[in-house]
Amino acid sequence: MGTQSDVFEQFQTILREQRIHAVYQPIISLHDGGVMGYEALSRGPEHSPFHSPLEMFQFAEQQGELYKLEQLAREKAIQGSILEHEQQLLFINISSHVLEDPGFVPGKTLEILQKFGLRPNNVVFEITERSSIEDFTLAKKILAHYRMQGYRIAIDDAGAGYSSLQAIAELQPDFIKIDRSLIENIHRNKVKAYILETFVTFAQKMNISLIAEGIEQVEELAKLTQMGVHYAQGYLLGKPALTAAKVQDTLRTIIWQHRNVQGGNMTWHIGGLKTPVGIFHTKVLISEVADYFKRNQEAVGVVIVQDDCPKGLVMRDRLFQHLAGQYAYSLYWNRTIDSVMDASPLIVDEQVAVEQVSLLATSRAINQLYDLVIITSDGKMAGTASIRTILESITNVRMESARVANPLTGLPGNLQINRELNKRIKENETFHVIYADLDYFKWFNDRFGFQKGDQLIQYTADVMQQAIAFYGTPNDFVGHVGGDDFIAISTTLAPKLLCQEMINRFESGVRMFYEDVEWEYVFDRSGNQVRSEGVTLSLSLVICSCETPISLEHISQTAAQLKKQAKAHKGSIYCFQALGSQSPIGISSSERID
């Protein structure tokens, strides 16, 4: 590598001659397989000791030149940006140490963005773990200033150390990037999966998006998609490059097949809310659009298109504000509409979930909060939806779900369960029904009290949903029949594995409800003493092959027979039978977890 003075001189030459460049690694949506954005990664000169960013930034920090290098890296990242449209994001790394540097002056990055035609809402500052934040008060003050301008914040390497968790709690980022150490072989490591489940639940409650890093295996991608992680990046999805990425069709198919749809939630797409809207070409005169609004008083906005693809949005109120000044008519009247349109409106595909669109829409700047949402189909203009329509539809569905849901678990009740079963029967495709029932629950309730009993019911509901998230498929369903009875409806290719997962999860956690109390016998519902270790789980698996007609009553009767068989065996167990085919009844015991 040469002497220390030679190395220092090489580094100074790199800074002086700006001899670094950026490469871009795609970040992929695990909802639709599209490219959400890119992380910009710096590279030094080839055949140089500083080609590796790790070596370069470590040396800069040792020499007190970190701020200069990071400022140069940000400029190069923005200058070479390969963003393909206004909705994509550019993730730019900044070390936490730089936040405390007096040279980190707000406004510098904005100047660079304006120079290269980007805006703050295209940029996410990704705070890396090169050093932990020492002054959170200062960091929050600096980041608040950037957020007001439209920038977003990501915390990198979550799960790799305490400092990143503290940064999440203090800074409340928009994105959390999950470290590769937690992602690697997650499809085989249940402890890692349980930890990530906690991140997913936390992110949902805090309206934070998760990005899983370092995806290298197809199985990792499938598992993360199934668990509800929002975005992913890694060599499997795309290596750092100088050009825009295209996700392989096979990987997009995997994402679509494993997209997470929480059991029991009513999920529907924004395409169901689209309504027609006025459409104008980018080179139409402003006067024509103004005349349209005057003739159509009910129109709140119009979409500006080129080759049937939306390019911008014009809201009625905003256009007439432009025309309200003393010389505005003469100034604007004969200009083309693209000179005043919003060139980066919210554009979503018709297959995006309504609740996801609601989150995107309500996170916009206050002056855009009530703008129309543009809906596309295969990239072409399809319609629009108003914020009022979106929020009203969510409210109505939630009210309907709450009205018929079980009040203890919030899962769909019998009305929705029957609807779902009838729907599956009409579709005439193979599906599986799993009825779950707790054994000796009455004994548990009598011994430990109703409050503990309710907690055990809620725990069982969680077990069912988590198992579905692991081994189920999109559009699987979990319902609460009542009391200690549950139902899952799945199209998984491995229904027995799904049952085993439910039993394993239940067995691994049920002991915590016993409070270290010991007993020799429990009592069944008839008051008879039974030697047992406690509450167990009986599952009835009805495999509905649909090769011959089946009915709701047939499914229910078969499940009842299987339940009786399961309860005749000791311990947690599942019994199965196929309907609509000639498969015989079979019985399988669970693997006990000690």
Side-chain angles (χ1 to χ4, degrees):
M1 195 170 179
T3 66
Q4 186 69 18
S5 60
D6 288 342
V7 172
F8 181 77
E9 182 55 38
Q10 285 184 58
F11 179 76
Q12 289 297 322
T13 301
I14 288 172
L15 286 181
R16 188 170 54 251
E17 298 180 2
Q18 300 188 357
R19 295 180 59 199
I20 69 171
H21 67 279
V23 290
Y24 303 88
Q25 185 170 33
I27 299 172
I28 307 302
S29 166
L30 296 187
H31 175 77
D32 60 15
V35 179
M36 176 270 272
Y38 295 87
E39 179 182 354
L41 301 164
S42 298
R43 297 288 184 267
E46 281 198 50
H47 312 301
S48 154
F50 297 112
H51 180 64
S52 162
L54 183 62
E55 299 284 347
M56 184 164 55
F57 281 95
Q58 282 181 345
F59 188 83
E61 189 166 2
Q62 293 167 4
Q63 300 299 319
E65 300 280 19
L66 185 59
Y67 174 72
K68 286 184 182 178
L69 180 60
E70 291 220 1
Q71 186 178 21
L72 176 60
R74 285 198 301 279
E75 181 165 358
K76 291 294 185 180
I78 295 167
Q79 180 181 355
S81 170
I82 57 174
L83 299 188
E84 299 159 278
H85 55 76
E86 295 88 347
Q87 305 300 320
Q88 285 185 337
L89 301 177
L90 178 64
F91 285 69
I92 298 178
N93 289 293
I94 59 172
S95 70
S96 52
H97 184 74
V98 164
L99 292 175
E100 298 162 10
D101 193 305
F104 192 67
V105 182
K108 291 281 186 184
T109 304
L110 183 59
E111 291 177 15
I112 302 170
L113 285 173
Q114 291 173 338
K115 180 178 178 181
F116 294 104
L118 293 178
R119 300 184 305 170
N121 59 9
N122 292 123
V123 174
V124 180
F125 285 130
E126 182 174 325
I127 301 174
T128 64
E129 275 290 279
R130 292 196 194 106
S131 57
S132 59
I133 297 174
E134 296 177 3
D135 187 346
F136 277 105
T137 302
L138 176 61
K140 284 192 281 189
K141 183 178 178 181
I142 292 171
L143 294 177
H145 177 86
Y146 278 97
R147 275 188 162 128
M148 287 180 64
Q149 295 180 54
Y151 298 96
R152 278 169 273 193
I153 307 300
I155 298 295
D156 195 14
D157 299 335
Y162 170 74
S163 55
S164 63
L165 297 179
Q166 187 182 10
I168 291 168
E170 294 281 355
L171 303 180
Q172 299 178 23
D174 304 282
F175 298 90
I176 296 174
K177 300 193 80 173
I178 307 296
D179 187 69
R180 167 68 184 162
S181 61
L182 188 57
I183 299 304
E184 186 177 11
N185 290 322
I186 193 166
H187 57 292
R188 295 196 190 111
N189 190 317
K190 290 197 174 185
V191 174
K192 288 183 178 182
Y194 293 155
I195 294 171
L196 188 57
E197 278 181 9
T198 304
F199 271 108
V200 171
T201 301
F202 168 76
Q204 288 171 346
K205 292 180 178 179
M206 295 298 294
N207 194 22
I208 294 172
S209 295
L210 296 180
I211 303 172
E213 295 186 291
I215 314 301
E216 295 182 2
Q217 301 179 63
V218 169
E219 293 85 358
E220 292 170 350
L221 176 66
K223 177 62 70 178
L224 294 165
T225 305
Q226 200 171 48
M227 291 179 70
V229 174
H230 305 94
Y231 304 102
Q233 69 180 107
Y235 277 20
L236 177 71
L237 298 163
K239 296 180 179 180
L242 294 169
T243 56
K246 186 179 186 305
V247 183
Q248 296 176 24
D249 289 341
T250 53
L251 298 179
R252 289 177 70 100
T253 300
I254 288 169
I255 291 170
W256 276 86
Q257 287 176 340
H258 291 85
R259 285 187 307 168
N260 175 273
V261 180
Q262 289 291 331
N265 284 349
M266 296 183 68
T267 302
W268 73 112
H269 300 139
I270 191 66
L273 301 181
K274 67 177 181 285
T275 57
V277 66
I279 295 174
F280 291 89
H281 190 270
T282 51
K283 297 306 177 184
V284 160
L285 296 179
I286 291 174
S287 56
E288 288 188 41
V289 179
D291 286 341
Y292 172 84
F293 280 130
K294 289 176 182 178
R295 294 193 310 272
N296 298 273
Q297 292 297 317
E298 76 288 351
V300 297
V302 297
V303 178
I304 311 304
V305 301
Q306 187 174 340
D307 299 326
D308 294 327
C309 297
K311 296 297 180 183
L313 178 71
V314 176
M315 297 298 290
R316 168 194 287 273
D317 293 346
R318 210 164 296 145
L319 178 63
F320 285 121
Q321 284 174 8
H322 275 296
L323 299 175
Q326 184 176 0
Y327 302 107
Y329 265 76
S330 57
L331 186 63
Y332 286 110
W333 200 244
N334 290 315
R335 289 189 184 181
T336 55
I337 194 65
D338 57 352
S339 64
V340 295
M341 71 180 185
D342 175 4
S344 57
L346 178 55
I347 303 174
V348 295
D349 184 81
E350 62 183 352
Q351 294 299 318
V352 177
V354 171
E355 293 214 1
Q356 184 179 351
V357 177
S358 173
L359 291 175
L360 292 170
T362 53
S363 64
R364 295 181 293 185
I366 189 68
N367 64 317
Q368 295 177 306
L369 190 57
Y370 295 101
D371 286 5
L372 294 173
V373 175
I374 299 173
I375 303 168
T376 60
S377 177
D378 294 327
K380 302 294 186 181
M381 184 64 204
T384 61
S386 68
I387 293 300
R388 179 175 179 176
T389 300
I390 293 170
L391 296 180
E392 280 182 350
S393 66
I394 291 173
T395 300
N396 291 338
V397 169
R398 285 179 175 170
M399 287 176 64
E400 171 64 13
S401 296
R403 186 177 67 83
V404 296
N406 185 283
L408 178 58
T409 60
L411 291 176
N414 290 319
L415 179 62
Q416 289 163 290
I417 291 170
N418 289 336
R419 282 181 189 163
E420 189 70 21
L421 284 168
N422 282 317
K423 173 187 162 194
R424 303 292 177 124
I425 291 169
K426 287 178 182 176
E427 288 172 350
N428 203 33
E429 295 180 0
T430 299
F431 66 97
H432 317 293
V433 178
I434 302 171
Y435 280 88
D437 178 49
L438 297 180
D439 307 315
Y440 313 122
F441 179 70
K442 183 180 184 302
W443 162 82
F444 179 88
N445 237 0
D446 292 342
R447 177 143 194 176
F448 294 96
F450 288 106
Q451 185 175 7
K452 277 283 184 183
D454 286 351
Q455 290 173 5
L456 184 56
I457 293 290
Q458 290 168 329
Y459 168 73
T460 307
D462 290 341
V463 162
M464 299 280 288
Q465 292 179 93
Q466 289 164 4
I468 284 286
F470 264 67
Y471 290 109
T473 58
N475 300 315
D476 282 0
F477 176 93
V478 177
H480 191 169
V481 179
D484 59 330
D485 292 289
F486 295 87
I487 186 173
I489 305 171
S490 176
T491 55
T492 178
L493 297 177
K496 295 177 185 178
L497 188 61
L498 177 57
C499 289
Q500 192 66 60
E501 178 70 9
M502 290 177 180
I503 289 173
N504 289 345
R505 282 176 174 263
F506 181 82
E507 290 286 330
S508 68
V510 70
R511 290 177 179 83
M512 69 182 178
F513 292 94
Y514 298 144
E515 303 172 342
D516 296 325
V517 175
E518 295 183 1
W519 61 85
E520 189 173 351
Y521 296 97
V522 301
F523 295 90
D524 63 18
R525 289 189 176 274
S526 301
N528 301 315
Q529 282 189 342
V530 180
R531 191 181 293 273
S532 174
E533 295 180 4
V535 181
T536 54
L537 183 65
S538 290
L539 301 179
S540 305
L541 169 60
V542 183
I543 300 172
C544 303
S545 299
C546 296
E547 295 169 11
T548 59
I550 58 175
S551 66
L552 190 57
E553 291 74 21
H554 199 180
I555 294 172
S556 180
Q557 290 169 6
T558 304
Q561 292 169 4
L562 292 171
K563 175 181 171 182
K564 188 174 180 180
Q565 292 180 27
K567 285 186 172 294
H569 289 74
K570 199 172 180 180
S572 294
I573 194 172
Y574 71 89
C575 299
F576 65 91
Q577 179 175 346
L579 292 184
S581 73
Q582 302 304 312
S583 299
I585 293 176
I587 298 175
S588 172
S589 61
S590 73
E591 295 177 7
R592 301 305 299 268
I593 299 176
D594 298 321

